[in-house]
């Protein structure tokens, strides 16, 4: 079964001084303000497309990693994943995503943990969608 998730964006004004909102339409859970200053310089209280992409990548990777662990016969007590998506206008936009995972997995060796983390990175649907940029991974077995 295919599931389509929907979001929408409204932009008002020109790029440098305008602003807008991004809404999670499928869930109805949130509407986020965004603007160019937040995207190019950083601004507290205002989101960016890259922040939302990082959230999607972290969430997807945590699920993919948990699934890969289960397929290998391991159940994680905890998987904590973060993603940092870099936007560099001088390099043409999004230049990469850096995943960091810290997990408690009873009975797994460090080597197997690292192999499964790499497999999850490669198999994560958001990683596949980001195939045009480098994706790096730091995996720590707690």
């Amino acid at each position: 079964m295919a599931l389509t998730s929907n979001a929408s964006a409204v932009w008002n004004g020109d790029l440098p001084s305008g602003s807008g909102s991004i809404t999670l339409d499928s869930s109805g859970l949130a509407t986020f303000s965004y603007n160019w200053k937040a995207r190019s310089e950083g601004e507290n209280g205002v989101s960016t497309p890259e922040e939302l992409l990082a959230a999607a990548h972290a969430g997807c990777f945590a699920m993919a990693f948990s699934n890969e662990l289960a397929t290998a016969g391991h159940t994680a007590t905890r998987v904590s994943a973060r993603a940092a998506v870099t936007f560099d206008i001088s390099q043409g936009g999004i230049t990469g995503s850096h995943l960091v995972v810290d997990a408690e997995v009873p009975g797994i060796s460090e080597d197997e943990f690292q192999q499964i983390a790499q497999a999850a990175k490669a198999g994560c649907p958001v990683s596949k969608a980001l195939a045009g940029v480098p994706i790096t991974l730091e995996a720590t077995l707690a």
Side-chain angles (χ1 to χ4, degrees):
M1 176 176 95
L3 174 68
T4 301
S5 295
N6 298 292
S8 59
V10 174
W11 187 261
N12 301 299
D14 63 8
L15 182 61
S17 63
S19 64
S21 61
I22 298 170
T23 301
L24 306 179
D25 294 328
S26 296
S27 65
L29 289 175
T31 297
F32 302 95
S33 297
Y34 75 122
N35 62 39
W36 179 249
K37 181 179 180 186
R39 195 170 193 192
S40 61
E41 300 173 29
E43 182 177 352
N44 287 333
V46 181
S47 191
T48 66
E50 291 74 28
E51 181 180 36
L52 297 172
L53 186 56
H57 202 190
C60 184
F61 176 79
M63 294 171 77
F65 189 45
S66 179
N67 185 56
E68 291 285 341
L69 287 164
T71 299
H74 300 284
T75 301
T77 304
R78 179 189 54 81
V79 173
S80 175
R82 297 184 312 275
V85 173
T86 301
F87 178 80
D88 184 343
I89 193 64
S90 70
Q91 299 295 313
I94 295 172
T95 58
S97 182
H98 181 66
L99 293 165
V100 177
V101 63
D102 177 349
E104 295 174 19
V105 186
I108 194 170
S109 71
E110 179 68 28
D111 286 344
E112 186 178 15
F113 178 83
Q114 294 298 328
Q115 289 173 0
I116 291 171
Q118 289 296 329
K121 181 185 89 166
C124 166
V126 174
S127 291
K128 290 178 181 181
L130 291 172
V133 299
I135 298 171
T136 54
L137 172 66
E138 288 179 52
T140 303
L141 177 59

